[in-house]
Amino acid sequence: MRTSRRELLHIALATAAAGLPLVGRTQTLDTAKILTGFAAGGTVDTLARRVAAHMNGSYAKAVVVDTRTGAGGQIAITALKTSPADGSVLLVTPMSMLGIYPHTYKKLPYDPVADLAPVSLGVVFDMGFAVGPQVPATVKTVPEFLEWCKAHPTNANFGSPAPGSVPHFVGELIGRAGKVDLRHVGFRGSHPAILDMMGGQIAAVSAPVGEFLPHLSGGKVRLLATSGAARNKFVPGTPTLVEQGLKDLVFGEWFAFYLPGKAAPDVVQKAHAAVRAALADKDVVSGLAAMGLEAQSSSPAELAALLKADTEKWGPIVKAIGFTAES
């Protein structure tokens, strides 16, 4: 018995030194949470909640969504950076905060590569450009909207879910294409921006297509264009920006899941398997489609490569626009 106890003590000490719980790292977590940086009711929130519901009971006994709005999504990412790396805290974020912000902020409170461990791609989608009641019903295309802005310069504005995001830059490029000073108004998510547009506080909003879908039937939101290379399958009756003469304005974006940068490979793999399974579930896929989101998973390595490519793509675009977080 003395030998047995001594061996058990050595095992316990070795396990503690390695930072592993005695019950093993494959044990189901009691609670896990998915951080988001944007307001409830939007597309990021929808993705987080759909995946969290599917992971409930399998990945962890309870999986909840933790919304941390502010600073254009940076608060949620910073919260992940300082979270435990045991798989209990994940993040779902748009690409903008990781691939574009390094070009617009002199200093970020996180390193998009070192502080985040890629888990899986979540969804891909196009941008939409819509107008509200402030704009006359006779305005049915983006070129007509730009002409209206020239005649009403005090109302020439648009909102987006965050300064320095893809929707923001799509709006900026639309204004430049029409030689219009289209003033940007940043919000904490697309949902608040659309509500202000519907209330007549701002003229237009650039946001993920899915953000507009619940409001199109009411008449207060008129989707003028989408940003893909082809018409968006969720709103096939809406022409693209290119179809309306805005050459080369083809843009899309994605949301993806991450763990803290220090997460071990087996922790990443466990989270990846859970997220991938959720994104393959028919109910999750249909629920995301209702918000204009196309479910699409990836390996961690594929996600890392995608972020690298988009970071390099957006550098020259941001430089050409001349936007900085301080501007």
Side-chain angles (χ1 to χ4, degrees), residues 11-23:
I11 293 171
L13 290 174
T15 301
L20 304 175
L22 287 175
V23 292

Side-chain angles (χ1 to χ4, degrees), residues 38 43-44 47 72 77 92-101 121-128 160-170 190 206-209 211 227-229 232 250-256 292-296 303 306-307 310 313-314:
F38 297 92
T43 48
V44 180
L47 173 59
I77 298 173
V92 60
T93 181
M95 178 279 296
S96 297
M97 288 76 242
L98 308 179
I100 296 181
Y101 281 13
L121 188 63
V123 293
V124 294
F125 54 91
D126 295 330
M127 298 299 139
S160 85
S165 63
V166 171
H168 171 198
F169 288 128
V170 168
S190 301
S206 176
V209 167
E211 302 280 9
S227 69
N232 187 278
V250 178
F251 297 99
E253 197 182 4
W254 44 266
F255 299 156
L293 302 171
E294 185 176 350
Q296 187 172 321
L303 177 55
L306 181 60
L307 176 59
D310 276 359
K313 169 188 173 181
W314 278 97

Side-chain angles (χ1 to χ4, degrees), residues 175-257:
R176 285 170 177 260
K179 295 181 171 53
V180 174
D181 181 15
L182 203 55
R183 294 184 302 281
H184 174 247
V185 182
F187 288 81
R188 290 189 177 188
S190 301
H191 190 59
I194 293 172
L195 290 179
D196 269 14
M197 181 181 71
M198 293 172 65
Q201 280 77 49
I202 56 175
V205 168
S206 176
V209 167
E211 302 280 9
F212 301 111
L213 297 184
H215 309 288
L216 295 179
S217 61
K220 288 188 175 182
V221 174
R222 306 196 311 277
L223 189 62
L224 301 186
T226 58
S227 69
R231 292 200 179 194
N232 187 278
K233 68 179 182 180
F234 300 112
V235 282
T238 302
T240 65
L241 291 167
V242 173
E243 284 182 273
Q244 298 182 53
L246 283 77
K247 185 180 178 182
D248 299 327
L249 292 196
V250 178
F251 297 99
E253 197 182 4
W254 44 266
F255 299 156
F257 291 86

Side-chain angles (χ1 to χ4, degrees), residues 106-154:
K106 291 182 178 178
K107 186 177 181 180
L108 287 170
Y110 55 84
D111 182 316
V113 176
D115 293 331
L116 283 77
V119 173
S120 174
L121 188 63
V123 293
V124 294
F125 54 91
D126 295 330
M127 298 299 139
F129 191 82
V131 296
Q134 192 182 109
V135 180
T138 53
V139 173
K140 300 181 184 299
T141 67
V142 171
E144 289 175 354
F145 170 70
L146 294 172
E147 288 302 314
W148 178 81
C149 287
K150 291 176 182 177
H152 303 83
T154 58

Side-chain angles (χ1 to χ4, degrees), residues 286-297:
S286 62
L288 294 174
M291 287 293 285
L293 302 171
E294 185 176 350
Q296 187 172 321
S297 63

